[in-house]
């Protein structure tokens, strides 16, 4: 504690005052969930039937949630 | 996305978190290498003729009712998790430009028609029949220690670049590139 006045005095002479710790009234939450289909399930989007035979990479639900304290909005992307 | 999945997910999200359905945007990447959410819906042609039923259920791409339920469940679980782990953030928004990745698949032909995918180098091609949207919209969120929490990227490009096998399609490569 005894050091504090000295440090305070130094900072006014030679150091820049530390910026105040940032604050924000906005919160964000991000999350993912796995929605990888199983081998043998249908592969959508073609003109006939097609079935998944192999796995390459995971499919996900991707969630971005924003809350300003009054209202929460959610943006969801699906693979 | 089937309309009913969006309505079900919104109702369940509202029940679980209090977040109202009108504040929940659900969008699909239209991946051609992902799960069976379309195109013929379960029961959609049950009252049609036998021929139409056969064409729809046996010869067309069909949604899987079990997968649709799982999808709805995971959408809701994802929102509940995001709502629980939310932290104070600083947000940044911006736009980039990317005009080399996508192209307009409709091309105006010498015969006066516009064709989809007439074939690269087709001598009857006159010009693209329309523009692309090269704008890349980005929202970044950083926590108050300066750590990047996440990024929302908005870019219009049909996800038909199937790498072979189950895949999130080109979105997976975008994710890999951003996450490093």
């Amino acid at each position: 504690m005894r050091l504090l006045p000295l440090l305070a005095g130094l900072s006014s002479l030679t150091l820049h005052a530390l910026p105040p710790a940032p604050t924000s009234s906005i919160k964000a939450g991000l999350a993912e969930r796995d929605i990888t289909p199983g081998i043998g399930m249908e592969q959508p989007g073609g003109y006939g039937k097609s079935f998944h035979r192999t796995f390459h990479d995971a499919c996900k639900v991707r969630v971005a949630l924003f809350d300003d304290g009054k209202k929460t909005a959610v943006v969801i992307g699906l693979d | 996305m089937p309309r009913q999945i969006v309505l079900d997910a919104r109702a369940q999200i509202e029940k679980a978190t209090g977040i109202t359905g009108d504040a929940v945007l659900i969008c699909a990447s239209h991946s051609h290498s992902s799960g069976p959410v379309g195109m013929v819906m379960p029961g959609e042609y049950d009252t049609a003729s036998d021929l139409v039923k056969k064409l729809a259920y046996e010869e067309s791409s069909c949604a899987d009712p079990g997968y649709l339920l799982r999808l709805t469940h995971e959408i809701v679980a994802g929102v509940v998790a995001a709502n629980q782990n939310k932290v104070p953030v600083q947000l940044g928004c911006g736009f980039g430009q990317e005009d080399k990745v996508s192209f307009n698949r409709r091309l105006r032909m010498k015969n006066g028609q516009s064709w989809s995918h007439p074939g690269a180098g087709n001598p009857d091609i006159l010009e693209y029949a329309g523009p692309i949207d090269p704008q890349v919209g980005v929202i970044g969120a950083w926590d108050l220690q300066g750590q990047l929490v996440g990024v929302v990227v908005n870019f219009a490009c049909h996800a038909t670049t199937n790498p072979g096998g189950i895949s999130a399609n080109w979105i997976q490569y975008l994710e890999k590139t951003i996450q490093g």
Side-chain angles (χ1 to χ4, degrees):
Chain A
M1 292 300 287
R2 234 182 275 161
L3 280 173
L4 279 178
L6 177 60
L7 286 175
L10 265 180
S11 70
S12 65
L13 290 172
T14 59
L15 301 169
H16 293 291
L18 284 170
T23 61
S24 176
S25 58
I26 296 178
K27 289 181 174 179
L30 284 291
E32 290 180 350
R33 282 293 180 276
D34 186 273
I35 51 165
T36 306
I39 300 291
M41 281 189 178
E42 283 199 45
Q43 176 179 359
Y47 292 110
K49 273 209 188 298
S50 175
F51 297 90
H52 281 303
R53 299 285 175 224
T54 57
F55 171 83
H56 187 277
D57 58 82
C59 302
K60 300 173 184 178
V61 172
R62 307 161 195 270
V63 179
L65 178 150
F66 303 99
D67 176 0
D68 71 353
K70 298 188 200 94
K71 180 90 178 169
T72 298
V74 188
V75 180
I76 302 164
L78 307 173
D79 292 337
Chain B
M1 277 296 292
R3 177 75 176 152
Q4 196 56 46
I5 302 302
V6 174
L7 296 176
D8 289 352
R10 282 179 174 159
Q12 292 177 34
I13 287 165
E14 188 160 341
K15 202 173 166 197
T17 65
I19 299 166
T20 54
D22 64 357
V24 176
L25 177 69
I26 302 178
C27 36
S29 69
H30 197 113
S31 163
H32 279 243
S33 50
S34 298
V37 294
M39 302 148 67
V40 174
M41 298 307 292
E44 188 176 352
Y45 292 99
D46 282 2
T47 57
S49 69
D50 287 345
L51 173 62
V52 170
K53 262 194 268 197
K54 183 175 180 296
L55 290 172
Y57 297 144
E58 294 173 33
E59 296 185 28
S60 302
S61 185
C62 292
D64 181 312
Y67 184 80
L68 290 173
L69 281 177
R70 179 182 159 209
L71 179 64
T72 310
H73 176 80
E74 296 300 345
I75 291 170
V76 178
V79 175
V80 168
N83 195 42
Q84 283 169 347
N85 71 22
K86 65 188 172 188
V87 293
V89 291
Q90 294 188 311
L91 296 177
C93 306
F95 292 108
Q97 292 282 318
E98 172 51 67
D99 62 1
K100 301 290 191 295
V101 165
S102 62
F103 63 93
N104 192 313
R105 69 179 180 181
R106 296 283 291 169
L107 291 115
R108 212 160 62 77
M109 310 299 290
K110 283 179 183 166
N111 66 7
Q113 298 175 337
S114 290
W115 289 6
S116 291
H117 293 303
N122 187 321
D124 291 336
I125 291 172
L126 292 175
E127 61 183 356
Y128 287 111
I132 61 161
D133 180 359
Q135 193 177 58
V136 187
V138 178
I139 303 170
W142 289 260
D143 69 19
L144 300 189
Q145 288 74 49
Q147 284 290 107
L148 186 63
V149 176
V151 177
V152 177
V153 179
N154 183 32
F155 183 61
C157 182
H158 196 181
T160 50
T161 43
N162 302 12
I166 294 165
S167 173
N169 221 275
W170 64 260
I171 290 84
Q172 183 244 163
Y173 298 98
L174 175 78
E175 179 188 79
K176 256 192 187 170
T177 305
I178 291 174
Q179 293 186 348

